[in-house]
Amino acid sequence: NSIIIESNPTLGWLVPLLKDLFDNPKIIFVTRDPKTYVRSAFDKIPQESKPDKLFYSKEDMQSRLTPYYFKNDSMRDNWENMERFEKICWFWNRFNKHIYSELKEYDNLLIVKFEDIFQNDNSNTIKKMIDFFELRENLNIDFYNSLKLFGKKINEKNNYKYNKNFKKWIEKDQN
């Protein structure tokens, strides 16, 4: 068997190409609750050496996805006036709509929630992923040791700059 495992959100834009390159590839789409994604992205620092360059801030010089890449995106005319928070929300929405539309009729797919992988009791989700890829049979994967890998959170922050309690967000941001 040939097994390639890649974890990269950029590949979401290449799903049609992946389906052409590989014979019926198995795809796990890890989706994330927009409330936890936005909170995390709001504090994301693209370059540790330059902490003032926050994700989708005016100072962030990284090439980012914007509505200008899409002919009929309703946010094109408002993009420059949008707050950073709104831009991050737009990104989450645009990316996830694209992925769901590309995968909606794809049979060899497993959709799991990010929160179900990185919670205290993730054994059912991890087992489902390992079984879906048939890793135990093909690579003799130790299921219980693999669970430990998901307990090491490398990007976890203790103090979010943006209030982590969704209910306390201002009404505009909740909407």
Side-chain angles (χ1 to χ4, degrees):
N1 288 327
S2 295
I3 298 174
I4 299 170
I5 298 176
E6 176 66 37
S7 173
N8 185 335
T10 307
L11 288 177
W13 300 102
L14 303 175
V15 168
L17 184 61
L18 291 174
K19 291 192 282 187
D20 288 342
L21 287 173
F22 300 100
D23 183 33
N24 199 24
K26 291 184 176 186
I27 297 175
I28 295 180
F29 173 40
V30 180
T31 185
R32 189 166 182 184
D33 183 306
K35 294 177 288 232
T36 64
Y37 172 80
V38 169
R39 187 184 76 230
S40 176
F42 199 82
D43 287 338
K44 183 177 180 180
I45 299 172
Q47 302 166 2
E48 287 298 323
S49 61
K50 299 180 181 177
D52 58 328
K53 303 203 182 314
L54 294 170
F55 186 64
Y56 273 111
S57 68
K58 291 187 188 330
E59 297 82 18
D60 180 8
M61 301 315 275
Q62 299 276 22
S63 180
R64 302 274 179 220
L65 193 66
T66 70
Y68 303 122
Y69 289 101
F70 306 95
K71 288 182 182 179
N72 298 320
D73 194 295
S74 62
M75 295 295 129
R76 284 179 79 140
D77 296 336
N78 298 330
W79 186 254
E80 296 304 319
N81 298 322
M82 288 171 61
E83 296 174 22
R84 182 171 164 252
F85 178 85
E86 295 170 306
K87 290 178 178 181
I88 293 170
C89 291
W90 172 87
F91 173 79
W92 183 93
N93 192 41
R94 172 53 85 167
F95 181 78
N96 281 278
K97 276 186 177 178
H98 172 78
I99 293 292
Y100 278 114
S101 71
E102 289 295 334
L103 295 175
K104 68 181 175 188
E105 297 187 24
Y106 188 66
D107 294 331
N108 220 357
L109 169 71
L110 176 65
I111 298 175
V112 297
K113 294 178 182 177
F114 175 92
E115 293 79 11
D116 289 343
I117 296 172
F118 297 101
Q119 66 183 11
N120 289 335
D121 182 17
N122 60 3
S123 57
N124 288 336
T125 304
I126 304 303
K127 181 181 183 316
K128 198 182 305 182
M129 293 167 60
I130 289 173
D131 290 346
F132 177 74
F133 278 141
E134 300 171 354
L135 291 177
R136 249 190 281 200
E137 293 81 11
N138 291 322
L139 297 177
N140 198 22
I141 297 286
D142 181 340
F143 172 67
Y144 293 101
N145 278 331
S146 67
L147 285 176
K148 293 176 188 173
L149 297 174
F150 291 92
K152 297 179 182 180
K153 298 176 183 176
I154 59 172
N155 292 322
E156 185 176 44
K157 293 189 176 215
N158 293 326
N159 297 312
Y160 289 99
K161 294 176 191 140
Y162 201 79
N163 191 325
K164 64 181 178 178
N165 185 344
F166 175 71
K167 300 273 188 216
K168 291 183 179 177
W169 292 5
I170 60 173
E171 186 175 352
K172 176 185 169 214
D173 289 350
Q174 285 186 31
N175 291 335

